[in-house]
Amino acid sequence: MTDGHIGGSEFDRDTAVRPREPGVFDADISAGWSISAAINGGYLKAMLGRALGRTLPHPDPFTVTAHYLTATRPGPAVIRTSVARTGNTLSTGSASLFQTGEDGREVERIRLLGTYGDLDALPADVRTAVKPPQMPPYEHCVGVDQAPADPRPAGQVEMLHRLASRLDPATVGWALGKPSGRGEIRGWFAFADGRDADPLALLLIGDAMPPTAFDLGLSGWVPTVELTTHVRARPAPGPLRVAIGTRNLAGGFLEEDVEIWDSADRMVAQSRQLARALLA
Amino acid sequence: MTDGHIGGSEFDRDTAVRPREPGVFDADISAGWSISAAINGGYLKAMLGRALGRTLPHPDPFTVTAHYLTATRPGPAVIRTSVARTGNTLSTGSASLFQTGEDGREVERIRLLGTYGDLDALPADVRTAVKPPQMPPYEHCVGVDQAPADPRPAGQVEMLHRLASRLDPATVGWALGKPSGRGEIRGWFAFADGRDADPLALLLIGDAMPPTAFDLGLSGWVPTVELTTHVRARPAPGPLRVAIGTRNLAGGFLEEDVEIWDSADRMVAQSRQLARALLA
């Protein structure tokens, strides 16, 4: 039973990890966060982030980088963590996700490196004047699953059932066959079961919106090579505004930048990924 | 003897690593890349990047993240690498830098995670229209060491002797006691001995210009927590244009974004770091 609250939601259930021995966790990869045959990289990052947070003495991810090595499958997995340093303010460690391959040997799926701290211990100063992205209110935005020409049929995107995210109508031309070429998508992130976002959810959100590659006219697969998230503040309750942009598509790779803003107009996270552009 | 060419320059000499056994390298940390008592994080990242590149089957860093744990000192060090995956196109691994602490035990200084590939094997397509930053030619820019009120006296910044970098006069107000508050610095990167930049040098450059925190009015120490660099193309010869920006100084932390452009107007690298703002 899930209940839509932090600790009891679909996201918490599906990112749960069970300690096997110090620093080692058992986990079950849910097919509920898949996009066609692939498991979403943000979901997997949140699961590894949860395991690393239970190994380190500090609770909150401050900066976490995941490298995606081989395709994770639904089913059992084991997460092994390694502590690099524990300090008064910050602690750093690694985590790797393994699954048993067809030949019975362990295969590493993801390797992650992160530094953790305590968001609630930070001073409240905000000295810069970055402004949240402008977009219509949640009620006037478009459900991601309603995009008529999304190249990913909703039935194959199990993850869409977990989310209630919506897009700024000004940035959905790509779903109507008219990508703007600017590489920009804006929208609201929300969980379908009403769970509010916490720092672990911010690790998910860096890879949970449609790829900006769609707005550049690409329709093929854009597998993430590496995803780095900086968590800067604990998000206030409610849907989060997300602005995504790609500036450089070159040499078969692209970067995707994501800024995440909460209902108190605070930029709570920045993420960037390097992805391969497999041209369709 | 150094000669200013790739392979024979000060940078190559000071980032050299000597294989001790498979995956393990001995190194000597040079005091020539220090800023006051601290060794520059970009220099150390380049050294670890060199060691990881010798362990993995692919030559070029594509995306590399370093977390800085404890203060590295000039002198001997050992680098231990670990391969996560080797593939046809990309390979991934970790590297850690250790030094012997005062109690005789090994202390981990830096942990790095990187994915490598072959830049020369990438297609030549560049489909986006990002534009290089506008700044005066190298000859009309200001030597970093000539800034009269740079809070770091040149005599204490050994690294300045390794570099011939210059800053856009429009972004040196901070050195004259008049930070703009915009958090922007632009300039040219060059090695003092004339060495051209290669992908390893791009790992250095992400942390080799004055901190944008100075342009926000901070004058204290801004230690790097984490530094991620995406290398997107092999740089053409000549000085590189570098644009640095900080948009969010909040809660005692700030991000610093760096874009690096070569003489062929190609964006060859993007980097971002998370740093602590220790208010003076």
Side-chain angles (χ1 to χ4, degrees):
Chain A
M1 279 285 288
T2 62
D3 65 7
H5 288 89
I6 292 176
S9 71
E10 291 183 323
F11 176 72
D12 296 291
R13 175 194 65 197
D14 293 343
T15 57
V17 296
R18 301 182 301 280
R20 179 198 290 186
E21 57 190 77
V24 181
F25 301 86
D26 288 299
D28 290 298
I29 309 300
S30 166
W33 301 80
S34 61
I35 298 168
S36 297
I39 307 291
N40 176 256
Y43 158 66
L44 296 168
K45 182 173 180 177
M47 177 183 278
L48 272 84
R50 187 185 290 281
L52 186 55
R54 289 182 64 169
T55 299
L56 297 174
H58 291 95
D60 299 315
F62 274 29
T63 168
V64 182
T65 292
H67 286 238
Y68 297 87
L69 312 173
T70 55
T72 302
R73 306 298 181 195
V78 59
I79 299 170
R80 300 181 196 283
T81 64
S82 152
V83 177
R85 173 178 180 263
T86 60
N88 290 331
T89 307
L90 299 172
S91 296
T92 302
S94 303
S96 290
L97 180 78
F98 296 90
Q99 291 186 306
T100 303
E102 292 185 359
D103 62 358
R105 299 207 301 192
E106 267 197 351
V107 180
E108 189 169 349
R109 302 298 195 202
I110 299 170
R111 189 173 290 196
L112 176 145
L113 175 58
T115 291
Y116 283 57
D118 182 354
L119 288 171
D120 298 329
L122 298 183
D125 65 294
V126 178
R127 291 181 54 178
T128 43
V130 280
K131 293 278 190 296
Q134 296 301 307
M135 66 185 79
Y138 180 84
E139 295 70 25
H140 295 167
C141 285
V142 183
V144 176
D145 53 346
Q146 292 166 28
D150 187 327
R152 309 166 306 180
Q156 294 181 25
V157 185
E158 275 298 318
M159 190 169 76
L160 290 186
H161 301 304
R162 308 280 89 70
L163 305 180
S165 296
R166 294 192 174 186
L167 301 181
D168 182 341
T171 65
V172 297
W174 53 270
L176 304 164
K178 294 182 180 173
S180 78
R182 291 191 306 268
E184 292 178 4
I185 293 179
R186 291 185 298 273
W188 294 86
F189 173 89
F191 285 110
D193 63 7
R195 181 195 196 274
D196 284 315
D198 63 353
L200 282 183
L202 296 177
L203 302 187
L204 161 71
I205 299 171
D207 194 42
M209 304 292 276
T212 39
F214 291 172
D215 192 47
L216 292 171
L218 278 69
S219 59
W221 185 234
V222 190
T224 304
V225 175
E226 171 263 329
L227 173 63
T228 294
T229 311
H230 293 179
V231 175
R232 302 295 299 275
R234 188 176 304 284
L240 299 170
R241 281 159 293 175
V242 182
I244 318 171
T246 292
R247 299 180 60 234
N248 191 44
L249 167 60
F253 287 80
L254 57 88
E255 99 287 4
E256 188 178 288
D257 280 314
V258 178
E259 291 184 358
I260 306 173
W261 297 76
D262 72 6
S263 57
D265 282 354
R266 180 83 184 263
M267 188 163 76
V268 292
Q270 286 179 291
S271 85
R272 175 177 288 166
Q273 68 171 262
L274 183 69
R276 293 181 69 181
L278 301 179
L279 302 181
Chain B
M1 278 284 288
T2 62
D3 64 8
H5 289 88
I6 293 176
S9 71
E10 291 183 323
F11 176 72
D12 296 291
R13 174 195 65 197
D14 293 342
T15 58
V17 296
R18 302 181 301 280
R20 177 199 291 187
E21 57 189 77
V24 181
F25 301 85
D26 287 299
D28 291 298
I29 308 299
S30 166
W33 301 80
S34 61
I35 299 168
S36 298
I39 308 291
N40 176 256
Y43 158 67
L44 296 168
K45 182 173 180 177
M47 176 183 277
L48 271 84
R50 187 185 291 280
L52 186 55
R54 289 182 65 169
T55 299
L56 297 173
H58 291 96
D60 299 314
F62 274 28
T63 169
V64 183
T65 292
H67 286 237
Y68 297 87
L69 312 173
T70 55
T72 302
R73 306 296 180 198
V78 59
I79 298 170
R80 302 181 195 281
T81 64
S82 151
V83 177
R85 173 179 181 261
T86 61
N88 290 329
T89 307
L90 299 171
S91 296
T92 302
S94 303
S96 290
L97 180 78
F98 296 90
Q99 291 187 306
T100 304
E102 292 186 358
D103 61 358
R105 300 206 302 191
E106 269 197 349
V107 180
E108 189 167 350
R109 300 299 195 200
I110 299 171
R111 188 172 290 197
L112 176 144
L113 175 59
T115 291
Y116 282 57
D118 183 353
L119 288 171
D120 298 329
L122 298 183
D125 66 293
V126 178
R127 290 180 55 179
T128 44
V130 278
K131 294 275 189 298
Q134 297 301 306
M135 66 186 79
Y138 180 85
E139 295 71 24
H140 295 168
C141 284
V142 183
V144 176
D145 53 345
Q146 292 166 28
D150 186 327
R152 307 167 306 180
Q156 295 181 25
V157 185
E158 275 298 317
M159 189 169 76
L160 290 185
H161 301 304
R162 308 281 88 71
L163 305 179
S165 296
R166 295 193 174 186
L167 301 181
D168 182 341
T171 65
V172 296
W174 53 270
L176 304 164
K178 294 182 181 174
S180 78
R182 290 191 307 268
E184 292 177 3
I185 293 179
R186 292 183 297 273
W188 294 87
F189 173 89
F191 285 111
D193 62 7
R195 182 197 195 272
D196 284 315
D198 62 353
L200 281 183
L202 297 176
L203 302 186
L204 162 71
I205 298 170
D207 195 41
M209 304 291 276
T212 40
F214 291 171
D215 191 45
L216 292 171
L218 279 69
S219 59
W221 184 234
V222 189
T224 303
V225 175
E226 173 262 331
L227 173 62
T228 295
T229 311
H230 294 179
V231 175
R232 301 296 299 275
R234 188 176 303 286
L240 299 169
R241 282 160 291 176
V242 183
I244 318 170
T246 292
R247 299 179 61 235
N248 192 44
L249 167 60
F253 287 81
L254 57 90
E255 98 288 5
E256 187 177 288
D257 281 315
V258 179
E259 291 184 359
I260 306 173
W261 297 76
D262 72 5
S263 57
D265 281 355
R266 180 83 183 263
M267 188 163 75
V268 293
Q270 286 179 292
S271 85
R272 175 177 288 166
Q273 70 171 261
L274 183 69
R276 294 181 70 180
L278 301 179
L279 303 181

